[in-house]
Amino acid sequence: MPFATSLALNALAKGVVAQEKDEVSDTFDTPTPFTQNAFRIEVATKSRPIARVAAKDIQAEYLEPYVVGGNRSLGTKRGMLAPRAITLNQYGNLAKGKLASLKGKPGVFIGKVTTRNGKVVNGVWQRPTSAARRVGNKGGKARTGLKLLIQFEDTTPVRKRFDFFGRAAVYLKANAAREFDIAMKRAFSSAK
């Protein structure tokens, strides 16, 4: 019986992980593989008949507000990076190392700028560049204004929308009896 119990619990845990991967895809637009593979299993044994599904540490930190509500996690960052006039990767995020590469470019600086309406905006800015000659501008080069590439923002609240517990409960209710039946048959067939 303990062997069959551990088999069934581990099979159910694997099924819950698959359901949570689907929940990630249903909740977020183009989630990264890192986010889709966020879940781990602590397997059940004959002596400890408990299987547990949980998010890995890093992913748990940023997924938690989507499960229970609250503010987005900043992790080790001092602020949220909100891209404004910069190309994003296929997942809608800044490419790895993009901020570091921008820091080294001429004409790019990081800091606070007060806009015409008096608002102070902190971020990564590109200084004005010489533009092509404009019609009516005899021989001179026009200059454009500062361009905000990435804005630094405070954390923002997230509404609860990732149904981690609900999706797992539905799966367990629908599959528990079948998995225990399969595990019992396997235990009896391997019994000596």
Side-chain angles (χ1 to χ4, degrees):
M1 190 64 169
F3 176 66
T5 301
S6 67
L7 284 176
L9 291 173
N10 291 331
L12 287 167
K14 286 178 185 172
V16 168
V17 166
Q19 290 297 306
E20 299 304 347
K21 278 183 159 187
D22 290 344
E23 184 70 13
V24 165
S25 295
D26 294 346
T27 303
F28 303 105
D29 291 335
T30 60
T32 64
F34 185 73
T35 300
Q36 286 181 318
N37 297 318
F39 305 99
R40 63 182 167 79
I41 299 171
E42 291 177 26
V43 296
T45 63
K46 290 192 290 186
S47 61
R48 192 185 61 82
I50 298 170
R52 185 175 303 181
V53 174
K56 297 171 188 169
D57 293 344
I58 295 171
Q59 294 96 321
E61 189 174 330
Y62 67 81
L63 287 174
E64 181 181 25
Y66 294 95
V67 176
V68 297
N71 287 336
R72 292 174 202 236
S73 170
L74 293 176
T76 59
K77 300 178 212 143
R78 291 185 287 176
M80 302 281 299
L81 301 178
R84 297 293 183 240
I86 198 152
T87 306
L88 303 175
N89 68 15
Q90 67 203 33
Y91 304 109
N93 299 323
L94 282 175
K96 187 175 183 176
K98 186 66 172 179
L99 187 59
S101 74
L102 287 172
K103 287 179 188 178
K105 285 190 172 184
V108 175
F109 70 96
I110 297 174
K112 295 179 182 177
V113 172
T114 304
T115 63
R116 286 185 195 137
N117 62 7
K119 183 179 176 187
V120 176
V121 179
N122 194 5
V124 179
W125 296 86
Q126 185 172 26
R127 289 186 174 91
T129 57
S130 296
R133 292 179 192 225
R134 294 189 184 182
V135 176
N137 188 359
K138 298 194 180 214
K141 290 188 177 181
R143 295 189 47 95
T144 59
L146 283 176
K147 186 178 191 181
L148 179 61
L149 301 176
I150 302 170
Q151 185 173 351
F152 301 146
E153 298 178 342
D154 291 331
T155 186
T156 54
V158 174
R159 75 177 170 84
K160 185 176 150 181
R161 61 185 180 146
F162 185 87
D163 195 13
F164 177 84
F165 299 106
R167 189 106 177 212
V170 167
Y171 177 81
L172 292 172
K173 186 175 181 180
N175 294 285
R178 179 178 57 81
E179 288 296 345
F180 275 100
D181 186 45
I182 291 169
M184 285 300 290
K185 288 177 183 171
R186 184 171 165 199
F188 283 127
S189 68
S190 65
K192 293 179 182 177

